[in-house]
Amino acid sequence: MNPLASIIMSSTLISGTLITLISSHWLMAWMGLEMNMFAIIPMIMKNNSPRAIEAATKYFLIQASASMLLLMAASLNFMYSGQWTLTEMNVSMASLIMLIAMLMKLGMAPFHFWVPEVTQGTVLLTSLIILTWQKLAPLAILFQIAPSINVNIILTTAILSILIGGWGGLNQTQLRKIMAYSSIAHMGWMAAVMIYNPTLMLLNLLLYLIFTFSAFTILIKCSSTSTSMLTMTWNSYPLMVSVLLIILLSMGGLPPLTGFVPKWLIIYELIKNTNIAMTLTMSILALLNLFFYLRLIYASSLTLFPTSSNLKFKWKINTPNKMYFLPTMVSISLLFLPVSPMILMLN
Amino acid sequence: MVKFILFMMSVLFVVSFVGFSCKPSPIYGGLGLIIGGGVGCGVVLYFGGAFLGLMVFLVYLGGMLVVFGYTTAMATEEFPEIWMSSTTVMGSLCLGLLAEGLIVVYLKGGDEKMWGAESLVMFSGEEVGFIREDYLAGSILYSGGNWMLLLSGWCLFVSVFIVMEITRGR
C-alpha cells in the first residue's frame, strides 16, 4: 500500500478505538467502532488474493450488522430513558441488544464463525491486529454497561465460547486458526467474570494481549503459518522456540507462569458468587486449550521432527533486529505471578 | 389523515428497502433509494425539519444518486437480475414484504388510533423559540459540535482512500 494511505489507515484505526474508549455518548462510541471497522478493511485486503477479499467481506458484513444492532440498542435506550449516556443502560431490552452486538463484534459463541476464517485469510500482522486491537473497543463498552448485562445470556455465551474455542482448535494445523480459537476461548473467560468483577476482566484482557502479542511476534519472526513450518524453526531461531514454549504454557494457564493468575482469580471470583458447577466446567474445558498448545510445543521444541538439514544449527544465524518488545512480554509471561497480590489490591 | 400519510410513508420506506435488499441488479438499488429517500424526506418534513429534508433531496438524491445512476448505467450487464428472475430473489422479496405486512398488522392492532405515530415517538414538549431546530442544529455543528464535524470530515476523507485501496485490484 502507498505509505500515505497506510499512515491514514493506521491513524484512523488507532483513533477509532481511542474515541470509543473516551466517549460518554453512544453516538461517539458507535462512530469510533465504525472508524475502526472501515480502516481495517483495506489492511485485510492488502495482498488482494480471493482469500483475503473473502475474509474482508465476511469481517465487514458481521461488524456492520453488529454496529446496526448497537445503534438500535442506543436508540431504544434513548426512547425509553431519554438519555444517551454510555454508563446508564437502564432499559433491559436495549441492554440485551447491545450485549448481542458486542458479542458479535468480539467473535464469541454463537457468533464465532467468522473469527477463524478472517484470521486465516490474511497475513500474520493483520490477524494480530484483528485479535488484539479490535477487541479493546467492544470490551470497553461491555465494561461500562456491565451492571446491566443479562446474566443468563452472558454466562451461556461464556461457557459456549470456552467449549468452542477449545474443541474447535483441536483439529487445526494452521497457526492463525489456532490463535483464533484461542482468542474465542479467552473471550469466554473474560465474559464469565465481567458481571461479577469487571476489573478481573481487564486483567485477563491485559495478560491475553501480552501473550497473544508475544506468540504472534515469534510467528512473524519465524515466518511460520502452520505447525509443519513451526517444526523447522529450531535450527534458525533456537532461542525463540524455547520462548514459544513459555508463552504457550502461560496461555494454557499453568502455574507458576503468569497465565495462571487470571484463571485463578476468575475461578475464585466465580466461586465467591456460588457459581460452582460452571466454574468446574470452565476449568475442565480449559484443558482442551492446553492440549493444542502442548501439541505446538511438542512439534516445535520438545521433539525434533525429521528435516532435510543434518546439522544441529545453521552456519549463519541472523538475529532479527526488531523484536517489538518481545523480551519484556516474555518476562511478564514468565515471572508476573508473584505480583498478583498487588493486582488484587487494584480492585 | 396526515398521520395516516405518515404511517404509509414509513411503510413505503421499508418496502423500498426490501425491494433492493433481495439483491437484484444495482439499478433496482437506485430505484429503491430514490423512493426511500423521497418518503424519508417526507417523514422528516412531517416532523418540522424542512431544512434537513430539502437538504437530503438536494444533496443525496440530486447529487449522489445521480452519480450512482450514471455509474450503474455504465456498468450494466446484458441480462440483469430482476425481481422475478430467480427463486432466491423472488423468495426473499416475498419474505420481506410478508414480514413488513405482519408488522403493520401488529402495529395497527385493530385500533384506529394506531395509524398515527403516538406510540412510536417521544414528544419533547412544545417550547417556544425564535429559531427552528433544524437550522439551529445545522449551525451548532460548526460551533459547539466542532469535534463531531472534524471526525465526520476525517471519516469521509478516509473513506475515499479506503475505496481506492479496495477497488485497486492487482
Side-chain angles (χ1 to χ4, degrees):
Chain A
M1 226 195 296
N2 186 9
L4 178 64
S6 180
I7 289 175
I8 290 179
M9 304 306 164
S10 314
S11 59
T12 310
L13 187 64
I14 294 174
S15 50
T17 304
L18 286 179
I19 285 170
T20 306
L21 293 183
I22 67 177
S23 69
S24 54
H25 194 284
W26 276 118
L27 195 65
M28 300 311 289
W30 169 75
M31 205 158 162
L33 282 169
E34 292 290 295
M35 283 170 77
N36 234 359
M37 172 184 73
F38 78 10
I40 207 172
I41 297 289
M43 289 169 77
I44 297 178
M45 283 178 66
K46 205 188 318 197
N47 60 350
N48 247 323
S49 60
R51 193 76 186 265
I53 296 176
E54 181 185 332
T57 313
K58 281 180 187 161
Y59 187 76
F60 173 73
L61 286 174
I62 302 282
Q63 303 277 312
S65 319
S67 291
M68 286 200 287
L69 283 174
L70 187 154
L71 269 183
M72 179 162 137
S75 309
L76 273 175
N77 191 28
F78 176 64
M79 189 163 115
Y80 287 112
S81 68
Q83 44 83 27
W84 290 99
T85 317
L86 205 60
T87 49
E88 306 278 336
M89 194 99 193
N90 299 321
V91 181
S92 55
M93 179 164 63
S95 174
L96 180 66
I97 296 177
M98 181 64 68
L99 175 67
I100 305 258
M102 292 302 113
L103 295 180
M104 280 174 78
K105 283 215 175 259
L106 287 171
M108 293 178 63
F111 311 110
H112 65 280
F113 294 98
W114 62 270
V115 188
E117 298 170 18
V118 172
T119 323
Q120 179 67 21
T122 176
V123 294
L124 276 167
L125 188 61
T126 313
S127 62
L128 167 66
I129 296 177
I130 292 174
L131 288 182
T132 55
W133 185 257
Q134 299 292 85
K135 311 282 184 195
L136 289 180
L139 281 172
I141 291 181
L142 279 178
F143 179 85
Q144 293 178 71
I145 66 171
S148 62
I149 292 180
N150 185 343
V151 175
N152 300 320
I153 302 279
I154 202 165
L155 288 182
T156 312
T157 306
I159 199 100
L160 270 180
S161 300
I162 299 173
L163 174 66
I164 289 177
W167 204 356
L170 284 180
N171 199 21
Q172 308 294 337
T173 54
Q174 292 289 324
L175 293 177
R176 286 166 287 179
K177 278 194 181 158
I178 287 180
M179 297 307 292
Y181 281 106
S182 144
S183 151
I184 297 173
H186 282 268
M187 291 296 135
W189 278 89
M190 285 183 226
V193 80
M194 201 178 319
I195 35 186
Y196 299 116
N197 193 349
T199 313
L200 284 183
M201 186 265 283
L202 289 182
L203 171 71
N204 196 354
L205 175 68
L206 178 66
L207 289 174
Y208 160 74
L209 290 180
I210 291 175
F211 301 146
T212 310
F213 190 78
S214 323
F216 264 102
T217 307
I218 293 181
L219 296 182
I220 291 172
K221 288 301 161 190
C222 304
S223 316
S224 45
T225 57
S226 74
T227 315
S228 52
M229 287 166 81
L230 204 57
T231 59
M232 297 190 289
T233 58
W234 62 270
N235 56 3
S236 334
Y237 301 104
L239 191 54
M240 288 241 224
V241 291
S242 337
V243 163
L244 185 66
L245 182 148
I246 293 171
I247 292 171
L248 286 177
L249 284 180
S250 196
M251 263 210 277
L254 287 186
L257 303 175
T258 322
F260 183 56
V261 173
K263 291 199 165 52
W264 181 19
L265 294 175
I266 289 174
I267 289 173
Y268 188 48
E269 199 65 37
L270 285 173
I271 290 181
K272 271 198 273 190
N273 283 282
T274 69
N275 209 348
I276 305 196
M278 183 170 149
T279 312
L280 184 64
T281 319
M282 280 163 62
S283 318
I284 293 178
L285 291 176
L287 289 174
L288 294 170
N289 257 336
L290 186 62
F291 180 76
F292 59 78
Y293 296 145
L294 274 175
R295 193 196 285 148
L296 286 183
I297 299 171
Y298 179 84
S300 64
S301 55
L302 291 182
T303 57
L304 298 180
F305 278 31
T307 62
S308 52
S309 155
N310 290 326
L311 301 173
K312 264 219 148 46
F313 296 115
K314 286 193 176 153
W315 66 274
K316 177 176 182 284
I317 299 182
N318 42 347
T319 52
N321 36 7
K322 279 199 276 201
M323 296 300 290
Y324 300 129
F325 298 106
L326 185 63
T328 315
M329 307 279 186
V330 170
S331 311
I332 294 177
S333 310
L334 181 59
L335 295 169
F336 221 54
L337 188 91
V339 184
S340 49
M342 182 181 87
I343 295 177
L344 277 176
M345 258 182 17
L346 288 171
N347 258 342
Chain B
M1 169 63 184
V2 182
K3 284 193 173 143
F4 176 71
I5 292 181
L6 173 71
F7 194 83
M8 277 300 127
M9 284 199 291
S10 317
V11 170
L12 197 58
F13 188 68
V14 178
V15 164
S16 73
F17 274 55
V18 167
F20 70 78
S21 50
C22 52
K23 286 171 268 297
S25 153
I27 201 67
Y28 286 95
L31 174 70
L33 283 176
I34 288 176
I35 298 177
V39 295
C41 289
V43 171
V44 172
L45 284 168
Y46 174 84
F47 286 108
F51 174 62
L52 290 174
L54 290 177
M55 198 56 51
V56 168
F57 252 111
L58 201 67
V59 176
Y60 189 70
L61 296 185
M64 299 202 288
L65 260 182
V66 165
V67 175
F68 177 72
Y70 273 115
T71 49
T72 315
M74 280 201 306
T76 192
E77 52 203 11
E78 197 182 350
F79 296 105
E81 178 106 29
I82 65 170
W83 281 324
M84 300 294 164
S85 63
S86 81
T87 322
T88 318
V89 177
M90 195 157 67
S92 46
L93 178 71
C94 294
L95 182 66
L97 292 176
L98 181 70
E100 174 62 14
L102 288 175
I103 290 179
V104 165
V105 167
Y106 169 70
L107 279 181
K108 178 175 177 280
D111 193 2
E112 264 317 301
K113 194 165 70 83
M114 289 296 237
W115 287 116
E118 283 103 355
S119 63
L120 299 172
V121 90
M122 270 185 67
F123 286 113
S124 56
E126 290 294 321
E127 294 139 8
V128 176
F130 288 110
I131 307 177
R132 293 181 61 92
E133 284 145 353
D134 44 356
Y135 292 95
L136 188 62
S139 60
I140 280 179
L141 181 67
Y142 289 89
S143 72
N146 47 3
W147 172 236
M148 223 17 208
L149 180 69
L150 183 70
L151 272 186
S152 316
W154 177 253
C155 289
L156 289 173
F157 177 67
V158 173
S159 58
V160 171
F161 276 86
I162 287 173
V163 169
M164 297 301 289
E165 282 301 321
I166 289 178
T167 56
R168 186 183 294 273
R170 293 185 188 91

